[in-house]
Amino acid sequence: MISAALVLFGVIGYTRLSVRELPDIDPPIISVSTTLPGANAQVVETAVTDVLEEELSTIQGLRTLSSSSSEENSQIVLEFNLDRPVDVAAQDVRDKVSRVRGRLPVDVLEPVIAKQQADAQPFFWLALSSPNYDLMQLSDVADRLVKARLQSLAGVGSAGVFGERRFAMRVWVQPDQLSARALTVQDVESAITARNVEIPAGRIESTRREFSVRSLGELKNPREFGELVVTSQGGQVVKLKDVAHVELAPEDTRSIFRYNGNPAVAIGVVRQSKANLIDVAQRIREAIPGIQQTLPPGVKLETAFDGSVFVTHSINDARLTLLIAAILVVLIIFVFLRNLRATIIPGLAIPASIVATFAIMYFLGFSINNFTLLALTIAIGIVVDDAIIVLENAYRHQEELHEAPEQAAVNGTNEIGFAVIATTIALVAVFTPLGFLRGSTGRLLSEFGIAVAGAVVISGFVALTLTPMLCAKVLRVPHEHGAVFKVLERGFNAVAERYAALLQTALRHRGIVVAGTVVTVALAFVLYKNLKQELIPDDDRGFFLVVAFGPEGSSLAYTDGYVRQVEQIIGKTPGVQGYFTIVGGFAGGVNRAFVGVILKDWSERKNSVQQLVGMLFPQLFGLAGVQAFPYSPGALGFSQPVQFVVQHPDIARLAQAMDTLVPQARAIKGLTNVDTDLRFNKPELRVTFDRDRAEDLGVPVRDVAAALQTFLGGRRVSTFTRNDKLYYVMVQLDSTHRNTPSDMSGIYLRGRGDQLVQLAALAKVEEGVGPRQINHFNRVPSFTLSASLNPGFAQGEALDSLDRLARRVLPPGSTTALAGDSREFRESGGALYFAFGVALLVVFMVLAAQFESLVHPLTVLLAVPLAVTGALATLLVAALLHRPGGTINLYSEIGMVLLIGLVTKNSILLVEYTNQLKARGLDAVAAVVEAGRIRLRPILMTSVATIMGAIPVMIGVGAGSASRRPLGYAIVGGIFFSTALTLFVVPVGYVLLDRLTARQASRVRVARPVEAD
């Protein structure tokens, strides 16, 4: 009943676990956004970014501090260690910013401090389009009808409108009309601010009644704004319509969104942090038809991107893999035992152990994701091992010793109990070091390791409780067997006898076995050097991105013209289901764009994402006006796999370093789409003031900057209400008067004695180039070189090539660092080597405590280097066959850590039973031969069961399978290779170490003085 209770708790935990693609590895990230109106990138850097960075860099637990200073905007991103609570970090940032607020420029807007989480990014995108409505009307429909309904769904955190054309009252000022009436733009702003206002006026009270008083001073429509009086000159009234064109128009037109080539508005849905991704997506899909019915005729709501599709397929495929592994393991047990009753007993250990593990995952706050499901799939072959060992021993006691079922169960369990406990503790000990790992790799491995360890602990409990009970009540060894049983039994006996003969031969030629073992271990180093390295293998995620950017200074219309050509190419690509386009805005500037390409279901297309990217690359490369390239995002984010940061305290030397490094980086054959985030060719107009002249004319420089901001950038000067929503009133120069640099000379300002002063009288306008943005990494000026990889060129090769190039060409004083996936790759490698070494040490100490010896643990661990060699050899074979995942990566490294526990189980079975036989009086050679013969069948059963549990992972088909395969390669190759060799190497090692210890003991006895009578 205890096992049934564990299963019940597991079922309850399973229903309450959230579903994710990967464990929650999102670091605490805080952003500080600050706006300084009218300032260029250099001014923002010195006046805002440097001041804030100096204070923020002292916060505890800070991992990286990066910033970008661009026109009018400072963006600082602080990434903290994973163990730092994001709320505490955010409060520390607020405290630091408040301390330096007084040192920032007077005109700076209040810094905006925000917590950034991966869960706070939209995972579900909807497109709203119509041939009958313009984008302003669609934006209003999206805001009022769609967004509100989506936010009311369970599990939805928020919904945002992108590509929005929000209503605004645009006041397009005509400078010639202003100057003709001796007015400036400040006069227009002041008139709107003073005459468009609605303030609560209080109430009128009497003894019996009261009235609230509303002052209806707010203007509502373009006609009312046009009638607004700007000034009265000599009895002549100047109205706003006399000096400006007023209309209801979009607040911002510097971005474009399209879905399948048609203008649209996007709605991005963000789920709550702990909500079930698949369930939330299902609720959204179910709500779409109801929302569609509320929309005006002709307005269509479509799903542009559903981030749950890949996760759903991947999780379902992982579940199917788990089920297939369970079936294969049970079949293997049946083949070895040829007894249905005997097969049922370890078969029950699978649900008892695996299902109960979900309860542990629930209480630890884990989720159902690819790592935990992969852990349970591999665990299927492990959890039956203990049950198989106990069952096989009870079966042998019934068959060979002719004991009653109850007695056989008791004696068999007592005989094998120590080995079960030892193997369970050894396996759990393997995962102990994972708890010491930091960063994203540590978080990934902890969920994997704890899931396996939890299943192993429960399986050990089941093997010592449920399995003996079932052996006593269910297991019956028949006295007569069928023909198939006899054939297989003769085969097993022949294998056992042949093995015993080979083992005796190996024991007579121990030198050859030792030499072969040394060669095998040396081979592991050779194999490792010949394998490529990467973080996570590429997977077909069902979509890819196309990034396009034009020359610095390109307009939105210029960029959009070429992006439409990109869309035409994508539309003709086979296997494409749809695509959405963002130009400007979210893409990072009016000269930049990206296209999200959604592919058909995996079963409906012939080409993988990687193949389609390869097909598109030469077509997009042929576009002359923009640089466009496709790439497939990885599992950990949307950045490219290579993120190489170069730092230098001198911005001029940094620019030289970039000019030297980037061309040579593009010459590296395996790199493609090489680009940097530092540009010094952004066209700009520099306004320099004759300050003496300005002082003589009585024009403050501040007024000049404010006028330029209003005329050229637009300024929010007031608000108005439309359909119970608040919108901005914006004043800006009419577009026909700001097309060329010479148009700036027509701007007039108010001088001394209310005289108008032309801008050209006190300022000079010059054309030049400057940086688009200035980046810092850990407070040092920097640029980040990003690149994609050609097929066959691994991430490790790319970073090593860039390291060598940087050492050769960068000027003195330069330093390098890594960001994004590249940083995770480097950190994960070191972390896993640490975990592997510590796991070996911990297992050795655990075995030493269990065997009360320092010799036997060494014998047991002889299997580990053999398993590693087998794993590396299998990975190399996969690479030579051009199979995905034939590299040293996160999954294959996890497999090799796991092998420590898996292969020591077989060694423990041999060594522990050999010790029992020696205790009964047999010498070392006879004991190891007999132990090998008796333990051969359970060793083969457990090894083949583990291999069968990993084969579905190794073969893996479907979404997410490519990244999981390396783990299967490592487990199958390591177990197969080590099992074949361990059966000979461990007995030989046991005999050699036993004789060595006996010789040492005899020397101690001889050296001990003899006492006289």
Side-chain angles (χ1 to χ4, degrees):
M1 294 306 294
I2 296 178
S3 297
L6 290 174
V7 173
L8 175 62
F9 294 149
V11 171
I12 296 173
Y14 178 82
T15 60
R16 298 183 180 182
L17 286 169
S18 63
V19 178
R20 304 171 58 100
E21 180 186 353
L22 296 174
D24 184 4
I25 58 172
D26 308 321
I29 296 178
I30 310 296
S31 66
V32 181
S33 302
T34 311
T35 300
L36 180 59
N40 62 19
Q42 291 96 327
V43 173
V44 171
E45 180 197 24
T46 56
V48 179
T49 304
D50 282 343
V51 175
L52 289 172
E53 280 187 338
E54 182 180 3
E55 189 70 22
L56 293 172
S57 62
T58 61
I59 297 178
Q60 180 184 0
L62 187 62
R63 188 183 184 193
T64 61
L65 174 65
S66 57
S67 67
S68 68
S69 303
S70 57
E71 187 176 351
E72 297 188 348
N73 185 59
S74 166
Q75 182 78 15
I76 301 176
V77 178
L78 301 95
E79 180 180 339
F80 293 86
N81 296 325
L82 276 174
D83 56 358
R84 180 81 163 149
V86 66
D87 293 326
V88 177
Q91 187 57 49
D92 288 347
V93 171
R94 292 188 187 98
D95 292 342
K96 294 290 187 180
V97 171
S98 64
R99 290 183 185 180
V100 297
R101 181 64 179 84
R103 293 166 51 192
L104 298 177
V106 177
D107 294 340
V108 75
L109 303 184
E110 193 65 30
V112 177
I113 300 168
K115 295 182 289 186
Q116 295 183 2
Q117 300 175 348
D119 285 340
Q121 299 299 321
F123 81 102
F124 202 107
W125 291 83
L126 297 165
L128 194 69
S129 60
S130 172
N132 305 323
Y133 292 82
D134 61 31
L135 292 178
M136 281 199 302
Q137 294 170 319
L138 285 176
S139 299
D140 189 56
V141 170
D143 188 45
R144 295 175 182 275
L145 301 179
V146 181
K147 178 179 174 181
R149 283 286 298 275
L150 291 174
Q151 288 180 331
S152 66
L153 298 177
V156 172
S158 63
V161 181
F162 297 83
E164 184 180 22
R165 293 290 189 269
R166 188 174 178 82
F167 284 116
M169 193 64 65
R170 301 305 301 255
V171 179
W172 302 110
V173 178
Q174 299 172 354
D176 53 342
Q177 297 297 327
L178 283 176
S179 59
R181 292 168 173 79
L183 296 174
T184 66
V185 69
Q186 284 90 345
D187 297 326
V188 174
E189 291 179 349
S190 300
I192 295 174
T193 303
R195 293 173 173 82
N196 177 48
V197 61
E198 182 170 332
I199 302 175
R203 58 183 176 270
I204 294 177
E205 299 175 315
S206 68
T207 57
R208 305 189 63 177
R209 301 184 65 184
E210 75 173 25
F211 300 88
S212 60
V213 179
R214 288 183 60 194
S215 173
L216 300 179
E218 186 183 61
L219 305 175
K220 300 292 186 182
N221 53 55
R223 185 187 60 80
E224 293 181 0
F225 273 93
E227 295 295 329
L228 183 148
V229 176
V230 177
T231 186
S232 178
Q233 301 173 341
Q236 183 181 1
V237 175
V238 178
K239 295 184 177 182
L240 186 59
K241 65 181 181 181
D242 298 328
V243 294
H245 170 62
V246 184
E247 66 173 347
L248 199 62
E251 177 184 334
D252 182 17
T253 59
R254 290 175 62 81
S255 66
I256 297 172
F257 179 86
R258 282 193 297 272
Y259 178 61
N260 288 338
N262 300 315
V265 172
I267 301 97
V269 182
V270 179
R271 69 182 177 96
Q272 294 174 358
S273 60
K274 300 301 180 183
N276 189 312
L277 177 76
I278 296 175
D279 288 348
V280 176
Q282 181 63 30
R283 293 189 194 104
I284 296 172
R285 287 192 292 268
E286 292 173 352
I288 289 176
I291 298 175
Q292 180 68 61
Q293 294 178 0
T294 66
L295 301 180
V299 177
K300 187 177 182 181
L301 183 65
E302 301 174 273
T303 299
F305 175 73
D306 183 355
S308 71
V309 171
F310 175 78
V311 177
T312 301
H313 279 78
S314 181
I315 295 298
N316 288 339
D317 289 339
R319 287 170 175 159
L320 179 62
T321 302
L322 192 151
L323 179 62
I324 293 172
I327 293 173
L328 289 175
V329 169
V330 172
L331 287 175
I332 289 300
I333 296 171
F334 180 76
V335 169
F336 272 90
L337 298 179
R338 293 93 64 204
N339 186 305
L340 185 59
R341 288 187 175 213
T343 303
I344 292 174
I345 295 172
L348 291 175
I350 295 175
S353 303
I354 298 299
V355 176
T357 306
F358 289 117
I360 297 176
M361 292 166 54
Y362 173 74
F363 287 118
L364 292 177
F366 292 173
S367 61
I368 295 175
N369 55 67
N370 278 319
F371 270 80
T372 51
L373 286 178
L374 185 59
L376 296 180
T377 303
I378 297 299
I380 285 177
I382 302 172
V383 298
V384 297
D385 287 359
D386 294 336
I388 288 173
I389 294 169
V390 173
L391 168 70
E392 195 276 337
N393 220 35
Y395 191 95
R396 186 174 60 85
H397 273 256
Q398 285 193 41
E399 185 177 43
E400 297 181 6
L401 304 180
H402 306 293
E403 294 178 354
E406 290 80 3
Q407 189 66 31
V410 172
N411 292 341
T413 304
N414 289 336
E415 185 179 279
I416 206 71
F418 177 81
V420 171
I421 295 173
T423 55
T424 300
I425 294 176
L427 259 175
V428 173
V430 168
F431 300 104
T432 302
L434 301 183
F436 295 96
L437 298 183
R438 295 180 175 272
S440 301
T441 304
R443 188 71 64 88
L444 287 171
L445 293 182
S446 64
E447 290 206 14
F448 179 92
I450 292 175
V452 175
V456 168
V457 170
I458 296 172
S459 73
F461 172 80
V462 169
L464 296 176
T465 55
L466 178 64
T467 302
M469 184 273 291
L470 292 174
C471 288
K473 302 299 181 182
V474 177
L475 182 62
R476 297 292 184 271
V477 178
H479 298 291
E480 295 293 332
H481 300 288
V484 175
F485 182 96
K486 292 178 180 179
V487 171
L488 291 175
E489 186 65 21
R490 284 196 296 270
F492 287 137
N493 290 335
V495 170
E497 295 301 326
R498 180 61 178 164
Y499 164 66
L502 291 174
L503 179 56
Q504 289 176 342
T505 303
L507 290 171
R508 289 193 300 269
H509 301 86
R510 292 189 290 269
I512 296 176
V513 175
V514 171
T517 304
V518 172
V519 171
T520 302
V521 174
L523 181 62
F525 292 96
V526 177
L527 293 171
Y528 182 84
K529 291 294 185 181
N530 284 277
L531 281 168
K532 298 178 180 180
Q533 300 184 34
E534 60 184 342
L535 179 61
I536 294 177
D538 287 337
D539 216 332
D540 186 341
R541 304 178 64 82
F543 75 97
F544 63 90
L545 299 178
V546 175
V547 176
F549 52 90
E552 289 297 326
S554 302
S555 67
L556 184 70
Y558 175 93
T559 307
D560 187 48
Y562 283 98
V563 171
R564 287 185 180 274
Q565 297 181 37
V566 172
E567 291 176 333
Q568 291 176 2
I569 295 173
I570 292 172
K572 298 176 183 178
T573 304
V576 172
Q577 177 177 296
Y579 54 89
F580 63 91
T581 306
I582 296 179
V583 185
F586 188 70
V590 294
N591 68 319
R592 291 179 172 263
F594 76 84
V595 184
V597 184
I598 317 302
L599 302 180
K600 294 178 180 178
D601 188 84
W602 289 262
S603 61
E604 299 177 10
R605 53 184 166 90
K606 298 180 181 179
N607 298 318
S608 67
V609 163
Q610 289 73 27
Q611 291 171 327
L612 291 173
V613 166
M615 291 166 54
L616 279 174
F617 186 82
Q619 299 180 60
L620 297 177
F621 190 75
L623 295 177
V626 295
Q627 184 177 345
F629 58 86
Y631 77 96
S632 176
L636 300 183
F638 287 89
S639 63
Q640 293 175 265
V642 176
Q643 298 283 312
F644 193 78
V645 181
V646 177
Q647 301 168 277
H648 198 288
D650 186 345
I651 191 71
R653 299 297 299 275
L654 183 68
Q656 295 175 6
M658 183 185 69
D659 293 338
T660 304
L661 180 70
V662 173
Q664 297 192 44
R666 288 180 174 141
I668 298 175
K669 292 183 178 179
L671 294 182
T672 184
N673 307 332
V674 178
D675 190 25
T676 72
D677 58 358
L678 184 61
R679 295 282 192 281
F680 286 94
N681 58 347
K682 179 178 176 60
E684 63 180 17
L685 297 176
R686 297 169 182 167
V687 181
T688 56
F689 301 101
D690 184 340
R691 296 185 178 273
D692 293 337
R693 180 66 173 160
E695 188 66 27
D696 290 341
L697 296 173
V699 180
V701 173
R702 175 187 175 88
D703 288 354
V704 179
L708 290 174
Q709 181 189 7
T710 301
F711 274 130
L712 306 179
R715 178 182 290 187
R716 299 169 178 173
V717 297
S718 186
T719 59
F720 72 102
T721 304
R722 186 175 189 272
N723 295 333
D724 299 326
K725 280 190 172 290
L726 198 65
Y727 300 98
Y728 290 111
V729 178
M730 301 190 65
V731 178
Q732 192 174 4
L733 195 65
D734 187 270
S735 59
T736 59
H737 293 88
R738 49 185 171 90
N739 287 329
T740 62
S742 60
D743 289 336
M744 295 178 62
S745 62
I747 296 175
Y748 285 84
L749 304 125
R750 182 79 61 192
R752 186 173 288 108
D754 288 337
Q755 296 296 314
L756 291 186
V757 178
Q758 194 172 11
L759 177 63
L762 52 88
K764 182 170 59 175
V765 180
E766 299 175 337
E767 291 190 48
V769 294
R772 179 171 62 89
Q773 64 183 38
I774 301 173
N775 303 312
H776 289 181
F777 188 81
N778 290 334
R779 298 200 62 198
V780 181
S782 66
F783 69 85
T784 300
L785 184 149
S786 58
S788 299
L789 302 173
N790 286 324
F793 196 67
Q795 199 171 22
E797 291 179 288
L799 296 179
D800 291 342
S801 299
L802 288 174
D803 283 335
R804 290 192 295 269
L805 179 61
R807 285 194 296 268
R808 192 174 73 249
V809 304
L810 291 183
S814 301
T815 56
T816 62
L818 298 176
D821 283 3
S822 298
R823 182 183 61 186
E824 297 296 342
F825 164 73
R826 281 281 169 84
E827 292 182 355
S828 68
L832 283 164
Y833 299 147
F834 168 81
F836 189 87
V838 175
L840 275 176
L841 183 60
V842 171
V843 170
F844 176 83
M845 292 187 290
V846 169
L847 293 175
Q850 290 174 336
F851 285 106
E852 297 181 351
S853 167
L854 294 177
V855 175
H856 295 317
L858 291 175
T859 308
V860 170
L861 292 176
L862 284 173
V864 174
L866 304 178
V868 171
T869 302
L872 294 173
T874 309
L875 289 169
L876 184 60
V877 170
L880 294 175
L881 295 176
H882 303 289
R883 297 282 291 173
T887 59
I888 301 293
N889 54 66
L890 186 61
Y891 285 90
S892 57
E893 288 170 330
I894 291 173
M896 283 184 272
V897 173
L898 185 58
L899 281 174
I900 297 175
L902 295 179
V903 300
T904 54
K905 296 186 72 169
N906 294 337
S907 300
I908 290 172
L909 286 176
L910 281 173
V911 172
E912 190 272 338
Y913 195 58
T914 302
N915 288 341
Q916 289 189 33
L917 295 176
K918 280 192 65 181
R920 297 175 188 174
L922 294 180
D923 62 71
V925 174
V928 295
V929 173
E930 180 64 12
R933 188 185 68 82
I934 297 298
R935 289 290 183 251
L936 177 63
R937 186 173 300 187
I939 286 175
L940 291 179
M941 287 176 67
T942 56
S943 297
V944 175
T946 303
I947 289 173
M948 286 298 149
I951 278 180
V953 178
M954 183 182 74
I955 298 176
V957 293
S961 62
S963 59
R964 296 192 293 262
R965 285 176 187 167
L967 179 60
Y969 295 150
I971 297 297
V972 172
I975 294 293
F976 178 82
F977 200 75
S978 69
T979 301
L981 296 182
T982 297
L983 290 170
F984 299 98
V985 173
V986 169
V988 169
Y990 185 96
V991 171
L992 289 174
L993 291 174
D994 181 78
R995 294 190 174 181
L996 179 63
T997 53
R999 190 178 299 117
Q1000 291 294 332
S1002 64
R1003 289 178 181 174
V1004 171
R1005 286 195 298 270
V1006 170
R1008 186 178 301 163
V1010 180
E1011 295 184 1
D1013 293 336

